[in-house]
Amino acid sequence: MFDSFIPVEKLPNLFFPSDFTISVPPKYRVLTPTSIRASNLSDDKIGLSSIGTRIAASNVSREKAESFGLSNDLQKPRNEARVSEVLCEELRKETEETLEWSLICSQVCAFVSTSAGKALCRSGSLPIGRDREESLKLLDQTAAAVLLPQPLDFSGIDDVSGIVRSAVDGKLLTIGELCAVERSLRSARRVFEQLEQVSAAGESPDRLAPLLDIMQDCDFLTDISNKIGFCLDCTLSVVLDRASVKLESVRLERKQNMERLESLLREISMNVFQAGGIDSPLITKRRSRMCIGIKASHKSLLPEGIVLSSSSSGATYFMEPRDTIDVNNMEVRLLNDEKDEELAILGFLCSEIACSKTKFRLLMEKILELDLAPARGAYALWMNGVRPVFREGHQIINSSISADSLSIDIQGIQHPLLLQPSLRSLSSISIPEAGSSEMLNRRDGVMESEDLPEPETPVPIDIRIGYARKVLVISGPNAGGKTATMKTLGLAALMSKAGMFLPARGRPRLPWFNQMLADIGDHQSLEHNLSTFSGHISCICKIIEVASNDSLVLIDEIGSGTDPSEGVALSTSILQHLAGRVNLAVVTTHYVDLSCLKDGDSRFENAAMEFCVESLQPTYRILWGSTGNSNALGIAKSIGFDQKVLDRAQEWFEKLVPDKQRERQGLLYQLLLEERNLLEAQSKEAASVLSEVKKLHLEIHSEAEDLDRRVAALKAKESHQVQQELKTVKSQMDSIIKNFETQLKNTSPDQFKSMIREAEAAIASIVAAHHPGNKLATVIEAPAEDDIAMVQYGKIKVRVKKTDMKLVEGGMKDTVYPASHLKVQDQGRYYKEASVGANKDKVTFGPAVKTSKNTVDLRGMRVEEASHHLHMAISGCRSNGVLFVVHGMGTGAVKECAIDIHRNHPRVAKFEEESPMNYGCTVAYIK
C-alpha cells in the first residue's frame, strides 16, 4: 500500500504529548525503509565521494567503482592477506571443533536467560576476546557477576533483531511485533535500573562497575517505546483512539452511524416478525453489510430490498432493507477509513523503528553482553572455578623474571566436560532465570542419591611450563590421558580468552594466546584422497603457515602413520621449527627419540603419563621431566587379550630389543617412580613439620611479647609498692624518733633504759612487719601419698608440699629433694621429673613451653566437670605434644582428679607435678 511516499494531506492527523518529537519533511512523510534510503541518498546530503567509499566497501565491481571516480588502489585485491585470513578462520573452526568448544558453550547455555543468548550458545559462538584487553574485560565482568547478591530479571526481553530487519526491508509489522519491541525496550531499561539499585545497595559500589559499564550511556530508545505504548494497546492488540485525531474522529462517526443502523434494523426486523415473516427477530452481517433474516415466502415484506445471501436450505433470505442501504454504505466507508488510518499509524511506527536500526542493533548487543556475564558467573560457581591470570607472552620483558620462571602455572585443573558428571546434571536443573539464587549457589557438588552411585571425578592435573620452554613432548601409554591433558590446556587457554573461570586451584597463570592451532584426530579422507599420515601433514603444514609468536600449537601423535624412522626425522624437524616460531607447542608421541631432544636443546621439555605396572592401569598423573613407555603389551593384557598371542609378542619384543635394554629401562623407570614417591612423601612430611614449627614459633613469639609486657608491669607495680612501703617505714621511724626526743627532754635519767627498750621494740615490730620471713601455720591434715598436707594459717586453709614446710615442733624431719630431681626447661622454667606413669621409651616431645593453645584451666570447676574437660583436652591434643593442666591450690580435689587421670589415661606418656615455678599446674606429655 505504501510504495515510497505519501502526500502530507493523506497522512493521519497524529497527536502526541509535548515530549514526543516527530519530524515531518516539507512535502512528504517517509513511511517505508525504501523511501528512507532513497531520501537519505540525495546529493545535497551525501557527496559523490562518500557514495563511492560506500560502494568500495561493499565489494562492488571494478567498473562500477571506477564510474564513481575511485582510485585503483581501493579496489586492488589483497589475495595473500585474504588467503591467510581464510586459512586462519578455517583452522580456528577446526580447533574449536576438536577441543569441543561447542559443548562448553552448551554448558553455559543452561545459565543464559535471553533467547538471543541461548541461540548464541547453542551455535557454539560465545564471544572470545580478540585481544588481551578484551579478554581482561570479559574476566572482570565474570568476576563482578559472581558477586551479584540477586539475579537480574531479563524476562520480557525478546530478540527483536528479526522484527527490526523486517521493518528495514519495508514490511509492515503487526501489532504483536510492535508490542514485542515496546516490551523489550521497557524490560531492557528495567534491567539496567535493577543493576543500578543492586550496585548502590552494596558496600562497595565499584565491585559491579564492569557490569554497569556495559549499559552505561546506552540508548534505550525511550521515545519509540513511548510512541508504541501511546498508539497501541498491547493487552488487547488494538490501535488506540488517541493514536491520531483522524482515527478518533472516524471511530466516533462510525459508532454513531452504527447505532443509527442498528436502530433501523431492529425496527424493521420487529415489523417483519410481527407480520409472520420470521420466527424471531434476527439481525446479522453478510458480505460486510448489516441485514436481517426473513422467510423466503415473505420476501415481499421488504420491497426493493437486496438479498445478500440465503440459508443452506434456501428457506431463509438475508436481506438488506432499502432504508438502510445508505447507512450501510456509510459503515463500509468508515470501516475502510479506519483500517487505512490504522495501517498508516502502523506504517509510521515501522518507519520509526527502521530509522533507528543501528541503535536497536547496539542495544541488543549490550543486552546480550549483559546476559552472558551473569551466565559465565553462574557457570563458574557451578564448577567451583577460579579466575585465571594472563602472563606475558613469548618473551620475557621483565628483567626480574628469570628464564626458569613459569609461563604456565595451573594447579589441579580438571577437564570441564569430564567434570560435568560429578556435578549436578545440567539437564536436571530448573532455571527460571540465569544467575538465580539457585544457580549462584552451585557449590553443593554432587547430587545426593541413595539409588545412583556417586560418579567419579576426573584426576586433577598440574601444568607447569617455564618461560624458556617452547615445546612440550608428552609420552606414555595409550588411553593414559595424553590427549586429554593436551585438550585441557587448550580449553583452559580458550576459556580464559572468553572470560570464563577455570576448574582449578589457586590462581591459574598462563599467557594470552592469539590463536590455538590443533591437529588432533584422524584426518583421513577418501573424498580428498588423503591417508591418515597425509591428513596430519596437511594440517601441520597449514598450522606452520599461520602460526605466530603468540600461538599455542597442539599436535596429537606427531609423525604417526608412516615409517617410524622417517616419522621421527620429520617430527624432529617440525618441532625444531616450531620452537622458534610459536609461544608454545604441545605434542604427544610414542617415539622415545623425540624425548631425547631435551638433552641438547633447553627449549624442549618432557612429560610422561604415569602408568601403574601392578594394576596395568593408567593413573592419569603427569610426571614432569620424565619419559613414559607405551606399555602396549600390558594394556592388551588388561583388556583380555589372548595370553598366547601376548607371549609370542613378548618373544618378538625381546628379539627386537637387544640385551633386554627396554626391560632395563622399564625397571629403571619404576625405580625412579618409587624414589619420586618417597621424596614426595618426605617433602610433605617436612612441609608439615615446618608448618607446625612456624605455628609454634608464632605462638611463642606472641606469648614472649605478652610475658615481657607483664614482667615490666609487675616490676613497675612492685617498685611502686616498695616505694610506698619505704615511705611508710620512714614515716613510722620518724614518728618513733620524734616521740623519743620529746620524751627525752621531759624524763629523768632513770627512765632512759625503759624508753630505749620501748623504742627498740617499736622499731623491731616495724622491721618484723615488713620482713618476708616464714609464716607459722598448723598442720590440720597429715601429708598424703603425694607429700601434700593441709595447713591452717589464721583462718586460711591451704595445701602445701612437704618440701615447702619446716617442722617447728614434733618429730617430723625436713624432707628435701636432691638437686638432680629437678630439670631445667626452656625460658628458665623448672619442672620436677614425673615419678609415676613415665614412659621409658625415647620419644621426642614438643618443647614444654606454656601457651594459650596447649593449656587447659580447670580452676573453679567441680570434679566431674574438670574430669570431662581434661579428657577432652587430652583427646584433642596433637601427638607428641605437651599439655599444661592448671588445677589451682584449693582443696586439692581437682588436682587429685587430674593426677589420677594422668596415671591411667592411655595417651599420657608421663606427667610432671607442680614445681616452684608452676604452682597449681601439672604438665602432661601426650603420646
Side-chain angles (χ1 to χ4, degrees), residues 28 59 143 153 282 348 361 402 431 470 634 643 659 852:
Y28 296 106
N59 296 324
D153 184 11
L282 176 62
F348 164 74
R361 179 178 56 81
S402 65
I431 309 173
K470 298 301 178 183
Q643 186 61 40
D659 300 329
S852 59

Side-chain angles (χ1 to χ4, degrees), residues 22 25 114 171 341 345 353 407 458 563 590 592 606 703 769 803 916:
I22 303 175
T114 63
K171 297 179 182 179
E341 187 65 16
I345 293 171
I353 293 175
S407 172
D563 178 79
H590 288 284
V592 180
N606 291 336
E703 294 284 346
T803 55

Side-chain angles (χ1 to χ4, degrees), residues 557-628:
E557 300 294 350
I558 185 171
S560 62
T562 187
D563 178 79
S565 300
E566 294 184 355
V568 170
L570 183 59
S571 299
T572 301
S573 178
I574 291 173
L575 294 183
Q576 289 177 343
H577 178 78
L578 290 176
R581 288 283 305 272
V582 300
N583 186 328
L584 178 65
V586 181
V587 299
T588 65
T589 183
H590 288 284
Y591 296 146
V592 180
D593 295 335
L594 294 183
S595 300
C596 299
L597 295 174
K598 176 185 177 182
D599 299 335
D601 195 334
S602 61
R603 298 175 299 174
F604 287 78
E605 178 61 274
N606 291 336
M609 305 306 298
E610 188 179 47
F611 185 83
C612 181
V613 178
E614 296 178 358
S615 63
L616 298 178
Q617 294 293 329
T619 64
Y620 305 108
R621 295 178 57 193
I622 301 179
L623 304 177
W624 292 98
S626 302
T627 301

Side-chain angles (χ1 to χ4, degrees), residues 787 801-807 812-818:
D787 292 336
K801 274 191 174 184
K802 181 180 177 181
T803 55
D804 295 333
M805 297 185 295
K806 184 177 182 182
L807 186 63
M812 186 180 290
K813 297 181 179 180
D814 295 345
T815 302
V816 180
Y817 287 98

Side-chain angles (χ1 to χ4, degrees), residues 277-293:
I278 193 70
D279 294 335
S280 61
L282 176 62
I283 300 177
T284 183
K285 194 174 204 179
R286 291 292 187 273
R287 295 164 56 183
S288 300
R289 301 179 73 86
M290 300 298 295
C291 59
I292 64 174

